């Protein structure tokens, strides 16, 4: 039986509608969540991400403070900007678009962001809190994956989850979130990487398989069991002469073949991608509520 396609665009739209309502309620209390965005240089992919983030802020009613620095900006200029936003009470979340130009020290910049405004969830303070299951900003892509599972009615508790990829932004935080002793965790998690001896032996055991390798066709139909839930985080460009831009986007999973065995599967594009920005704005709203001393749900 063909899988049910998890429509990330729809789940993200539902969450954005919820956020819009919440922002309207906060405005009645005089609270306007604000996101400070920093883009250094002219990288086209980064520019389009930042534009999408700013557009979505506007749609939800979040104040967006846009800052553009030239590609040759110094570390000092960038650190000064982060410091200014750290002190600005109108800004609840700070987003420095990565990657930064090579001459800039990314780690130093991320460390300079006030952890209370680190809505990307990359600051070691937030990563550490997440690991020990304390209240923290959860990093956006892994949190988006968990929301997709929950909102599709997939049971995480007790599931065998196999994650392919161990990066600091996807695989590692996701594994940590899924093993937490809480209602959105309680899974048994295996993390695979390029030194894993027999990848298929692991992926075949998965009730939930999450691919975050950044390589097309890393997961083929012979590597999964019937009824598996597949979340494809990968975004890869493959040449396609039929497209105007000369390429198309694919995930890490052989979607057409795997969907015939899976119970649920995310497409690329239109799966995990739309969730990442949504979770960033979710964190920004949470941050504004915390700054105003409101509890979740207030
Ligand atoms: P990354 O830093 O390159 O990490 C890739 C991970 O996959 C590494 O741990 C690597 O193992 C592992 N890996 C690569 N090939 C493998 C293979 N054949 N077998 C087993 N493991 C393999 O990438 P990332 O930043 O985590 O991103 C992963 C993918 O997700 C990319 O396509 C990226 O564009 C996409 N992504 C999408 C979103 C979104 O919003 N949709 C957000 C973030 C990332 P080693 O550690 O051994 O090298």
């Amino acid at each position: 039986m063909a899988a049910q396609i998890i429509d990330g665009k729809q789940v993200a739209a539902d969450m954005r509608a919820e956020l819009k309502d919440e922002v309207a309620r906060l405005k009645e209390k005089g609270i306007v969540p604000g996101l400070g965005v920093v883009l250094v240089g002219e990288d086209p992919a980064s520019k389009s991400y930042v534009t999408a983030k700013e557009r979505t802020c506007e749609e939800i009613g979040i104040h967006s403070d846009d800052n553009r620095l030239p590609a040759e900006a110094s570390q000092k200029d960038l650190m000064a900007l982060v410091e200014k936003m750290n002190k600005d009470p109108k800004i609840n979340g700070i987003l420095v678009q990565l990657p930064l130009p090579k001459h800039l020290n990314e780690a130093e910049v991320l460390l300079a962001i006030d952890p209370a405004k680190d809505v990307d969830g990359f600051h070691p303070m937030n990563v550490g809190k997440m690991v020990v299951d304390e209240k923290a900003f959860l990093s956006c892509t892994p949190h988006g994956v968990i929301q997709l599972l929950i909102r599709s009615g997939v049971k995480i508790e007790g599931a065998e989850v196999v994650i392919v990829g161990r990066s600091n932004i996807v695989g590692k935080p996701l594994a940590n979130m899924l093993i937490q002793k809480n209602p959105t965790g309680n899974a048994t998690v295996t993390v695979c990487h390029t030194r894993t001896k027999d990848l298929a032996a692991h992926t075949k055991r998965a009730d939930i398989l999450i691919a975050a390798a950044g390589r097309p066709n890393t997961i083929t139909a012979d590597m999964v069991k019937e009824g598996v839930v597949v979340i494809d985080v990968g975004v890869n460009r493959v040449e396609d002469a039929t497209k105007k831009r000369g390429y198309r986007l694919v995930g890490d999973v052989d979607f057409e073949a795997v969907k015939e065995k899976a119970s649920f599967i995310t497409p690329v594009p239109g799966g995990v991608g739309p969730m990442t920005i949504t979770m960033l704005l979710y964190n920004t709203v949470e941050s504004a509520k915390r700054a105003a001393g409101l509890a979740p749900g207030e």
Side-chain angles (χ1 to χ4, degrees), residues 184-199:
T184 58
N186 285 327
T188 304
V189 180
T190 305
V191 181
C192 301
H193 43 78
T194 56
R195 308 294 166 93
T196 297
K197 275 189 189 146
D198 183 352
L199 182 62

Side-chain angles (χ1 to χ4, degrees), residues 163-190:
I163 302 172
V164 183
R166 58 174 164 185
S167 72
N168 288 339
I169 62 164
V170 189
K172 271 190 229 166
L174 185 53
N176 269 292
M177 290 176 203
L178 288 168
I179 57 168
Q180 295 302 332
K181 198 169 184 176
N182 64 32
T184 58
N186 285 327
T188 304
V189 180
T190 305

Side-chain angles (χ1 to χ4, degrees), residues 10-31:
Q10 187 57 53
V11 177
D14 293 347
M15 286 197 77
R16 286 173 192 181
E18 291 165 20
L19 282 173
K20 193 174 174 176
D21 288 348
E22 181 145 33
V23 168
R25 278 197 301 277
L26 289 174
K27 276 187 185 159
E28 285 168 14
K29 296 185 169 120
I31 301 163

Side-chain angles (χ1 to χ4, degrees), residues 21 23 30 40 46 53 68 70 95 102 131 139 143 158 160 172 204 206 212 219 226 243 263 267 273 281:
D21 288 348
V23 168
V40 186
S46 293
K53 281 164 191 164
R68 302 282 191 272
L95 170 99
K102 291 268 178 292
V131 171
S139 68
H143 192 195
E160 283 283 342
K172 271 190 229 166
K204 274 182 197 162
I219 306 297
E226 286 287 339
K243 303 278 175 203
S263 55
L281 302 183

